[in-house]
Amino acid sequence: MTITAAATPVTTTHVHLRTGGTSLLLDVAGEQLPRVLHWGPDLGELTEDDVAELRRASEPPLVSGQADVVVPVGLVAEHSRGWFGTPGLTGHRSGADFSTAFTLTGVTTERPDGDPVVAERVVVTAADDVAGLVLRVEIELLTSGLLRERADVTNTGAGVFDLTSLDLALPVPTEAQEILDLTGRHLRERAQQRHAFTLGTHLRESRRGRGHDASLVMAAGEQGFGWRRGEVRAVHVAWSGNTRTYAERTNLGDSLLAGGELLLAGEVRLGEGEAYTGPWVYASHGIGLDEMSARFHRYLRSRPGHPRSARPVLINVWEAVYFDHDLDRLKELADLAASVGVERFVLDDGWFGSRRDDTSGLGDWVVSADVWPEGLGPIVDHVHGLGMEFGLWFEPEMVNPDSDLYRAHPEWILATGGRTPVPARQQQVLDLAHDGAYAHVRDQVLAVLAAYDIDYVKWDYNRDLVDAGHWPTGQAGVHRQVEAVYRLIDEIRAAHPDLEIESCAGGGGRADLGILERTDRIWTSDCIDPLERQQIEAGTALLLPPELAGSHIASPVSHTTGRAHSLDFRAGTAFFSHLGIEWDITRATPEELARLTAWVAAHKAHRDLLHTGDVVHADHPDDALWVHGVVAADRAEAIFTIVEVRTPVANPPGRVRLPGLDPAARYRLTPLAPGDAVAGRTGQRPAPWMAGGAVLTGETLARVGVQAPALNPEQMVLLHLTRL
């Protein structure tokens, strides 16, 4: 049980939060909103005099053409203070009160006793009596050194206040000269892109209600920062709807990262006494992306609700049977799956209503008597009889026009202006802010979960939100839709506390920390081509540890790209994450099944390390070779992979470094079966060390490295290190 200490009013001119290698130094002198004097590496103990000197040293000179006073950038940037960048809070009251000037009314701090997540908390309150608004900003420094903040605004004036944005900002140093963010699309999520951090605003918005193309993180760092080098800072908006993140640099020398919910016009209209609370904005820093992302990983693992048990190896039957649900065929798949070591069997789309293809049935969450005349009991019982868990696919937020639900209630979709939104995947979005629509979905899903012993739900979400209005008002409805989805998942979890839920959104379109407060993993992408997955999973790892990212061993020929890959490359790519299989293994040869069994067994033998250790990457100069791995928290063991994504410049490629180990310890390095097969060209001799292994210090492995094996493109090898 967490015992929270009472909040203590601040009586000094600053607040200094310190933990996990992080400092946040807030200047709370004066009547304006606090400004951040420093956010980043721990500054150590600071006296009041130290802070006063830092405050003086940080005050810029006054120059021509600017205001006659220093322009402070508070936690919520204000135009009224002379800030000409993006204001933190925007809105109006019938055209007035468009510019805020908040006066500080209180600052309290507390140290929650026994909390595994939150180390320190500060709460700032401020008011603008002219605009009729009260602002509250909550800042938490987490035990991992991760920072998070959120704000709420209350309308205390007469009439309605139309809120249009509430963004929180954190400063970054001048040395941050490069921006990294993520982009993508369906089947190619979270690709990294970089460019210079120039004057102006680099804004990334997601207006789809999900985020295949959105930036999961936005980072700013020293020129050329990499996985292990260069100071870098990043922010993430933990919200499963529309979001905005931006990096901004002004000609006054200020640079910042900021983010919040993207509010559509008229979406949040606050009556007198009503309040809006924005999402958590998370912020991390580090030397290199590995240290930055490690703070996210450690935070997620510190949560009481984080999955603790071994992540079950699963098979999802989608790419094996699609909509062709035949009991005998599915039993055969289950038998084979159990024989190769699978622990969870997931029945995907096609089990309900008229759902024989993707044109009908969504919204009718009743087991189809045509396909399952005896209900799901026979397959559920068969799977459990084999010692496996049973999982089932739902898409609760969607409806096909060809469905009983839509025919009965066409008004229950998100729509506005008396028009039907453009179709996508031949479906529309149920407006869960309608009490009737919400109750229908909740009751039908709970009825299925009550009727059968279901251990796992794949919760899908396959279309963007377009023209997402609430009937009959026509008011924008994305914000309320997200709140309703959260409430729906929370209700289902409360009724079935042992149920695990996967967040799937056409693959990896909903992978934020808001949805992961309620789910147990994400489906990283609908693309399981292992070559594509290498970059998709590298981008995902900037935020999520491997146990929260589902990665499946694909069919020999990829369903989404048409490329063919060896079983070893497919399995080796999926090896590090929450492992699954998405392949019609009834068509596999005996040799393939034996090899698959070996890969599943190897993953099980090492998943405790893979799902608790630190994720590390090497900054290799030739990007044809990717080197990454997981190092145990105590540095006693590690597993790395060397991946050749295309032909390298040199052949042999030379030495590769293995970072993150204990520099003073000695390690035995050996190839790890079954990822030890090196199928190079005829006549090649493997690197001598691979035959009998090698013993080297962690410092040598990080500074010098070992000769990489000669691989063909789209091959990889696993390496195992144990401390002597």
Side-chain angles (χ1 to χ4, degrees):
M1 179 178 178
T2 299
I3 302 173
T4 304
T8 303
V10 172
T11 57
T12 63
T13 61
H14 74 277
V15 174
H16 190 191
L17 307 183
R18 297 176 59 217
T19 198
T22 297
S23 277
L24 176 73
L25 182 58
L26 282 178
D27 181 2
V28 297
E31 296 183 347
Q32 298 179 2
L33 287 175
R35 61 172 176 149
V36 177
L37 287 174
H38 170 77
W39 159 58
D42 190 358
L43 297 179
E45 292 287 347
L46 297 176
T47 66
E48 190 77 28
D49 288 342
D50 292 332
V51 175
E53 288 299 301
L54 177 57
R55 187 185 294 112
R56 282 186 65 243
S58 300
E59 185 170 324
L62 297 178
V63 297
S64 63
Q66 306 294 347
D68 293 336
V69 295
V70 173
V71 178
V73 185
L75 295 169
V76 177
E78 293 186 283
H79 179 76
S80 62
R81 307 298 183 189
W83 172 251
F84 291 110
T86 303
L89 189 154
T90 61
H92 66 93
R93 192 187 309 274
S94 298
D97 301 332
F98 71 96
S99 177
T100 63
F102 284 105
T103 299
L104 191 63
T105 57
V107 180
T108 60
T109 62
E110 58 184 287
R111 293 175 177 267
D113 296 329
D115 192 320
V117 175
V118 181
E120 299 183 87
R121 178 183 297 114
V122 58
V123 176
V124 175
T125 56
D128 182 342
D129 293 336
V130 174
L133 298 172
V134 168
L135 180 70
R136 179 180 181 274
V137 182
E138 184 178 4
I139 305 166
E140 294 182 342
L141 186 56
L142 309 183
T143 54
S144 69
L146 192 66
L147 184 71
R148 69 181 180 187
E149 52 183 355
R150 65 181 173 186
D152 60 68
V153 60
T154 302
N155 177 19
T156 58
V160 171
F161 185 84
D162 285 287
L163 183 70
T164 55
S165 68
L166 180 53
D167 299 331
L168 294 169
L170 287 167
V172 296
T174 306
E175 287 76 10
Q177 292 293 308
E178 189 173 8
I179 293 171
L180 177 148
D181 61 6
L182 303 174
T183 185
R185 56 172 172 79
H186 181 227
L187 307 178
R188 198 179 186 277
E189 295 89 342
R190 287 177 290 286
Q192 298 178 38
Q193 63 179 11
R194 292 177 180 247
H195 60 83
F197 194 168
T198 57
L199 289 174
T201 305
H202 176 65
L203 171 65
R204 294 296 308 281
E205 294 184 335
S206 173
R207 295 177 176 270
R208 302 167 177 263
R210 58 178 186 166
H212 286 93
D213 65 333
S215 185
L216 206 60
V217 297
M218 182 175 287
E222 294 176 329
Q223 187 67 40
F225 67 87
W227 293 106
R228 311 290 297 180
R229 64 172 185 265
E231 192 174 73
V232 63
R233 289 166 172 81
V235 295
H236 163 77
V237 180
W239 181 248
S240 308
N242 294 339
T243 61
R244 47 190 261 132
T245 52
Y246 54 93
E248 194 159 65
R249 173 159 281 160
T250 76
N251 57 7
L252 290 178
D254 293 300
S255 304
L256 55 83
L257 292 170
E261 182 182 4
L262 189 160
L263 297 174
L264 299 179
E267 192 161 28
V268 174
R269 309 192 72 223
L270 301 176
E272 188 171 352
E274 292 181 339
Y276 162 84
T277 300
W280 285 111
V281 178
Y282 287 79
S284 185
H285 70 93
I287 301 301
L289 292 167
D290 277 351
E291 186 179 2
M292 181 279 293
S293 60
R295 297 186 193 281
F296 283 110
H297 297 183
R298 289 199 294 271
Y299 153 65
L300 287 163
R301 288 169 171 171
S302 72
R303 301 170 303 157
H306 187 75
R308 305 288 175 200
S309 60
R311 298 292 76 216
V313 177
L314 65 83
I315 187 168
N316 185 295
V317 304
W318 173 244
E319 290 193 17
V321 303
Y322 298 103
F323 291 101
D324 184 14
H325 286 199
D326 176 82
L327 179 60
D328 290 338
R329 186 179 178 192
L330 289 167
K331 282 183 175 180
E332 182 185 6
L333 263 174
D335 293 343
L336 274 176
S339 73
V340 301
V342 168
E343 300 158 303
R344 175 181 285 164
F345 180 96
V346 181
L347 184 66
D348 211 283
D349 197 355
W351 56 268
F352 55 92
S354 60
R355 190 72 167 177
R356 307 291 80 79
D357 55 32
D358 66 359
T359 67
S360 69
L362 283 178
D364 300 333
W365 301 107
V366 178
V367 178
S368 171
D370 295 335
V371 179
W372 296 97
E374 299 178 65
L376 295 178
I379 188 62
V380 174
D381 293 344
H382 186 78
V383 166
H384 283 148
L386 293 167
M388 295 188 292
E389 297 178 357
F390 183 83
L392 193 62
W393 181 93
F394 286 89
E395 194 172 1
E397 300 157 65
M398 301 295 162
V399 63
N400 286 123
D402 183 6
S403 66
D404 293 341
L405 173 61
Y406 189 88
R407 283 184 284 272
H409 291 285
E411 76 280 8
W412 280 358
I413 65 168
L414 280 170
T416 190
R419 57 184 177 265
T420 302
V422 295
R425 208 168 180 258
Q426 303 185 72
Q427 62 194 56
Q428 294 292 339
V429 185
L430 275 176
D431 184 356
L432 295 179
H434 274 295
D435 292 341
Y438 182 95
H440 168 86
V441 174
R442 178 198 60 204
D443 294 348
Q444 285 202 332
V445 170
L446 286 175
V448 174
L449 296 179
Y452 304 102
D453 187 5
I454 295 170
D455 307 285
Y456 178 83
V457 163
K458 178 178 179 179
W459 186 296
D460 214 340
Y461 172 48
N462 273 310
R463 68 153 290 165
D464 298 330
L465 304 189
V466 181
D467 235 10
H470 176 71
W471 183 89
T473 65
Q475 186 177 358
V478 176
H479 176 80
R480 288 200 295 177
Q481 180 77 358
V482 176
E483 290 183 321
V485 170
Y486 286 172
R487 188 169 70 253
L488 178 59
I489 296 174
D490 290 345
E491 274 203 67
I492 291 170
R493 293 295 293 262
H496 298 272
D498 295 328
L499 182 73
E500 290 199 5
I501 299 178
E502 172 186 81
S503 170
C504 177
R510 189 153 65 182
D512 62 276
L513 298 190
I515 200 68
L516 277 165
E517 285 297 312
R518 297 160 171 84
T519 57
D520 301 282
R521 79 168 204 170
I522 66 157
W523 178 222
T524 313
S525 176
D526 278 347
C527 178
I528 48 177
D529 176 317
L531 184 61
E532 294 295 321
R533 271 300 184 109
Q534 288 289 332
Q535 67 88 15
I536 291 170
E537 295 187 12
T540 303
L542 293 175
L543 184 70
L544 305 183
E547 66 270 23
L548 295 182
S551 189
H552 294 179
I553 301 171
S555 304
V557 177
S558 172
H559 163 82
T560 57
T561 67
R563 276 194 294 239
H565 289 106
S566 69
L567 175 54
D568 285 348
F569 189 54
R570 287 143 47 209
T573 298
F575 179 80
F576 288 85
S577 302
H578 185 176
L579 183 68
I581 300 167
E582 196 139 348
W583 169 24
D584 186 359
I585 55 176
T586 65
R587 300 185 180 185
T589 66
E591 293 77 16
E592 287 176 320
L593 289 174
R595 192 70 176 169
L596 180 61
T597 302
W599 273 105
V600 170
H603 174 82
K604 288 181 176 180
H606 296 286
R607 63 186 165 190
D608 182 60
L609 164 63
L610 298 172
H611 296 164
T612 61
D614 294 335
V615 176
V616 298
H617 300 78
D619 289 308
H620 193 69
D622 186 348
D623 61 6
L625 284 182
W626 291 11
V627 182
H628 63 89
V630 176
V631 180
D634 63 0
R635 302 295 183 262
E637 187 182 9
I639 296 175
F640 280 84
T641 182
I642 302 172
V643 185
E644 186 168 307
V645 295
R646 59 181 175 276
T647 55
V649 172
N651 187 33
R655 289 188 295 212
V656 296
R657 297 175 177 180
L658 306 180
L661 302 163
D662 180 351
R666 300 173 72 83
Y667 291 87
R668 179 170 296 281
L669 169 67
T670 57
L672 177 63
D676 57 345
V678 180
R681 290 176 292 279
T682 303
Q684 290 187 164
R685 179 176 66 88
W689 71 265
M690 292 193 68
V695 175
L696 297 164
T697 66
E699 184 77 5
T700 301
L701 288 162
R703 300 287 185 182
V704 180
V706 297
Q707 283 288 338
L711 301 169
N712 284 331
E714 301 171 29
Q715 287 186 337
M716 48 84 68
V717 65
L718 291 180
L719 308 178
H720 190 210
L721 296 106
T722 53
R723 187 169 60 198
L724 299 178

